[in-house]
């Protein structure tokens, strides 16, 4: 199933394509999406089993129309290489919280960064949300999954990076000589030598200056 736009003499309209049939005449994309959701629910009511792998096929087909190509390729890679190999193709209504936790444990054993592990987890959970929205999955077991926390090594690396971002006076002088705008130059000098935050510096007035250097 998919939603598309087409042009008429009275302006743009939308249609829903499902199988070999097409339903036209929707005034807005929202109306077309509602009708599409209704068809999905009807289709789901005709089948008792909602297989995980089949759900992924529909999930990818739908999101392909909603995100950029690069984003979709990234999602598909995670699904093909990580989610599918580590999730049984069973009825989603029978997938338990423990199985979702087991999937998270598998991801945790990988050598990916914490940020990428959380990205994988978001894609996994979004499949269940998709099934809840379009196929009326009675319960979303992935809701129990929490995000991964940065490791001690990652926290230490971020701190080192933050420390390295502080300029020495020599570095600042090298930078400031290329700033031609006097207002910006004055602001940068005040920020560097006083340690004020940007908002604090912008709030300064002549009353705050006591005449001393």
């Amino acid at each position: 199933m998919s939603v598309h736009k087409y042009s008429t003499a009275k302006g743009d309209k939308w249609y829903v394509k499902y199988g070999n049939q097409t339903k036209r005449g929707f005034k807005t994309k929202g109306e077309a999406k509602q009708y599409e959701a209704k068809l999905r629910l009807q289709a789901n009511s005709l089948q008792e089993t909602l297989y995980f792998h089949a759900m992924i096929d529909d999930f990818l087909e739908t999101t392909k129309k909603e995100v950029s190509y690069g984003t979709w390729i990234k999602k598909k890679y995670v699904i093909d290489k990580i989610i599918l190999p580590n999730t049984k193709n069973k009825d989603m209504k029978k997938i338990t919280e423990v199985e979702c936790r087991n999937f998270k444990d598998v991801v945790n054993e990988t050598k990916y960064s914490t940020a990428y592990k959380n990205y994988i987890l978001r894609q996994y959970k979004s499949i269940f949300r998709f099934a809840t929205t379009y196929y009326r999955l009675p319960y979303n077991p992935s809701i129990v999954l929490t995000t991964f926390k940065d490791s001690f090594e990652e926290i230490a690396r971020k701190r080192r990076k933050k420390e390295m971002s502080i300029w020495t006076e020599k570095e600042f002088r090298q930078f400031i000589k290329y700033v031609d705008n006097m207002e910006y130059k004055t602001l940068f000098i005040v920020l560097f030598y006083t340690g004020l935050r940007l908002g604090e510096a912008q709030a300064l007035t002549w009353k705050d200056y006591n005449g001393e250097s």
Side-chain angles (χ1 to χ4, degrees):
M1 298 180 191
S2 56
V3 172
H4 305 274
K5 183 169 65 174
Y6 66 99
S7 298
T8 70
K10 296 183 179 180
D12 292 337
K13 291 191 177 183
W14 298 82
Y15 70 90
V16 177
K17 183 173 179 60
Y18 53 105
N20 296 323
Q21 302 182 54
T22 300
K23 176 70 173 178
R24 296 179 178 272
F26 297 99
K27 296 180 179 179
T28 66
K29 184 178 181 180
E31 291 178 355
K33 295 290 286 185
Q34 288 180 353
Y35 185 79
E36 182 191 32
K38 180 180 178 181
L39 291 177
R40 292 182 190 278
L41 292 175
Q42 291 174 347
N44 184 46
S45 66
L46 299 176
Q47 60 177 43
E48 295 182 358
T49 305
L50 192 62
Y51 286 107
F52 186 82
H53 289 199
M55 176 56 55
I56 285 181
D57 290 339
D58 195 17
F59 171 78
L60 284 172
E61 184 64 26
T62 300
T63 55
K64 190 175 185 178
K65 305 177 184 67
E66 299 174 346
V67 300
S68 68
Y69 179 74
T71 298
W72 185 79
I73 287 296
K74 185 178 178 181
K75 287 176 179 287
K76 190 175 187 305
Y77 178 85
V78 165
I79 288 172
D80 289 343
K81 301 299 182 181
I82 303 171
I83 295 179
L84 280 176
N86 294 291
T87 305
K88 294 180 180 179
N89 186 26
K90 61 186 294 185
D91 187 351
M92 293 188 72
K93 294 188 286 293
K94 296 180 180 179
I95 295 178
T96 65
E97 293 91 337
V98 173
E99 289 175 292
C100 292
R101 184 195 63 192
N102 291 342
F103 173 79
K104 182 181 178 182
D105 290 340
V106 170
V107 175
N108 194 38
E109 292 300 318
T110 65
K111 295 181 179 180
Y112 295 121
S113 67
T114 298
Y116 197 68
K117 288 178 181 178
N118 282 326
Y119 177 78
I120 295 169
L121 210 59
R122 288 198 299 274
Q123 303 315 307
Y124 181 76
K125 297 176 71 172
S126 66
I127 294 169
F128 284 91
R129 289 197 301 273
F130 180 85
T132 302
T133 300
Y134 288 107
Y135 289 88
R136 202 173 290 177
L137 183 67
Y139 174 67
N140 178 0
S142 72
I143 198 171
V144 301
L145 300 180
T146 56
T147 57
F148 293 101
K149 303 300 181 184
D150 285 341
S151 65
F152 290 121
E153 292 80 4
E154 288 173 318
I155 293 174
R157 194 181 305 120
K158 288 180 179 180
R159 286 179 177 173
R160 288 196 298 271
K161 185 176 180 180
K162 184 176 181 180
E163 291 171 355
M164 292 174 62
S165 67
I166 300 175
W167 282 353
T168 63
E169 184 170 6
K170 181 179 179 181
E171 290 172 329
F172 177 74
R173 288 182 180 277
Q174 182 68 20
F175 157 76
I176 201 66
K177 69 181 183 181
Y178 292 105
V179 180
D180 296 325
N181 185 294
M182 187 53 64
E183 290 185 1
Y184 283 122
K185 193 166 191 170
T186 303
L187 175 62
F188 290 142
I189 291 173
V190 170
L191 291 173
F192 182 79
Y193 286 105
T194 65
L196 290 174
R197 295 186 178 90
L198 178 60
E200 294 171 334
Q202 291 175 321
L204 289 175
T205 66
W206 283 110
K207 294 180 180 179
D208 300 308
Y209 180 58
N210 60 10
E212 299 179 2
S213 58

